[in-house]
Amino acid sequence: LKAEGTFEYQSLLFIPSRPPFDLYYREQKFGLQLYVNRVLIMERCEELLPDYLRFVKGVVDSPDLSLNVSREILQNDRRVGQIKKRVVKKVLDTLDKIKTDDRERYRKFWDAFGKVLKEGLASDHDNAEKLKDLLLFQSSADATALTSLKEYVERISAESGQDTIYFATGESRAVLEKSPHLEAFRAKGYEVLYLTDPVDELLTDQLAEYDGKKLQSVGKGEVELGTETEKLAAE
């Protein structure tokens, strides 16, 4: 990244292929290296990167920041906020492009960092729609391939009568497929997303709808299947 004008900075970002061993250590400090005129000011500047993108490595260099800048100043500096916003946009746009252009490569990224990326839905409301498009899920429609919410919606849009995205949460795909809650969905040919990560319980609280389609758990509440009189009363 490079920005010129009244406020100048440049940044070089890198997404590793494998997660570091301390990715989930909450006491571990993450962030980008901050330079001012090529002088290292901070080894891990957390103000430049949201926590859910802590796997991103890189440097930011600006001639317009003070050599004596402190963390307190950085937290309230509008220019630092602008850099962070641009960095986040660049990372999410790049991931979306990879997902579109090279699904196998994105699948490897998702296997390594998908759980961390999901955390963003609870904290980054400005980029919620972009994050939703980056999510991948196991699905009853395919035993091996992962699917996005967009792909799910495209499939049900080709059919009639379904205006809801159904999902099931559990410890594994094998356990979910034995659930009695899914029998009626299989009988009707309705696709169900399998959410098996511990963070998915938190994710569903933030993921109420996508593209005008409501997300509905197959194991909670009352689920309509087909007609008003055909209902699955789920406990």
Side-chain angles (χ1 to χ4, degrees):
L1 305 176
K2 189 172 185 180
E4 298 177 338
T6 55
F7 173 53
E8 297 183 6
Y9 66 88
Q10 54 186 337
S11 176
L12 180 64
L13 306 174
F14 170 70
I15 299 175
S17 59
R18 294 188 299 271
F21 71 91
D22 54 1
L23 185 64
Y24 296 100
Y25 290 5
R26 287 303 178 183
E27 64 274 15
Q28 178 61 36
K29 300 298 182 183
F30 295 93
L32 303 178
Q33 291 183 329
L34 177 61
Y35 287 76
V36 175
N37 271 329
R38 300 190 179 185
V39 176
L40 180 62
I41 302 300
M42 211 168 290
E43 182 67 33
R44 293 183 178 88
C45 184
E46 298 173 274
E47 288 74 21
L48 292 172
L49 206 62
D51 191 55
Y52 74 92
L53 293 181
R54 58 187 178 273
F55 54 84
V56 177
K57 307 297 182 185
V59 299
V60 172
D61 186 12
S62 174
D64 295 328
L65 294 174
S66 169
L67 285 169
N68 298 317
V69 68
S70 65
R71 288 199 178 275
E72 290 71 27
I73 293 174
L74 288 175
Q75 288 172 354
N76 299 294
D77 193 309
R78 184 175 59 86
R79 297 169 300 180
V80 173
Q82 290 175 343
I83 296 175
K84 180 179 179 179
K85 185 176 181 180
R86 179 85 187 280
V87 165
V88 172
K89 182 180 186 303
K90 183 64 174 178
V91 172
L92 297 185
D93 286 350
T94 299
L95 291 175
D96 186 63
K97 188 175 188 306
I98 295 172
K99 183 171 76 71
T100 302
D101 296 345
D102 192 340
R103 189 58 171 263
E104 183 178 348
R105 183 182 174 199
Y106 186 76
R107 172 66 186 265
K108 292 178 181 178
F109 159 80
W110 182 258
D111 289 344
F113 300 109
K115 292 180 182 179
V116 183
L117 199 65
K118 290 177 183 178
E119 298 173 9
L121 274 178
S123 57
D124 189 355
H125 302 293
D126 290 339
N127 291 294
E129 296 308 311
K130 287 186 176 182
L131 286 166
K132 288 179 185 179
D133 280 331
L134 293 174
L135 300 175
L136 292 181
F137 301 96
Q138 295 185 68
S139 166
S140 61
D142 195 303
T144 57
L146 300 184
T147 188
S148 67
L149 291 173
K150 181 180 179 181
E151 291 162 345
Y152 183 108
V153 169
E154 287 173 348
R155 284 193 291 273
I156 66 173
S157 295
E159 303 168 359
S160 60
Q162 185 179 347
D163 58 0
T164 303
I165 299 172
Y166 295 112
F167 68 88
T169 56
E171 62 183 58
S172 70
R173 182 187 184 105
V175 170
L176 288 174
E177 288 183 335
K178 295 176 183 177
S179 170
H181 292 310
L182 293 180
E183 292 179 5
F185 290 86
R186 278 194 289 265
K188 288 289 184 180
Y190 282 9
E191 180 177 355
V192 177
L193 300 178
Y194 298 147
L195 280 61
T196 58
D197 290 335
V199 72
D200 286 339
E201 291 287 352
L202 175 64
L203 179 70
T204 55
D205 292 337
Q206 309 297 326
L207 198 59
E209 63 84 29
Y210 176 81
D211 195 23
K213 308 287 187 183
K214 183 180 72 170
L215 272 81
Q216 171 72 53
S217 170
V218 304
K220 295 179 181 178
E222 197 173 65
V223 181
E224 289 192 12
L225 291 177
T227 70
E228 232 180 291
T229 57
E230 292 176 330
K231 295 183 178 181
L232 169 67
E235 298 177 356

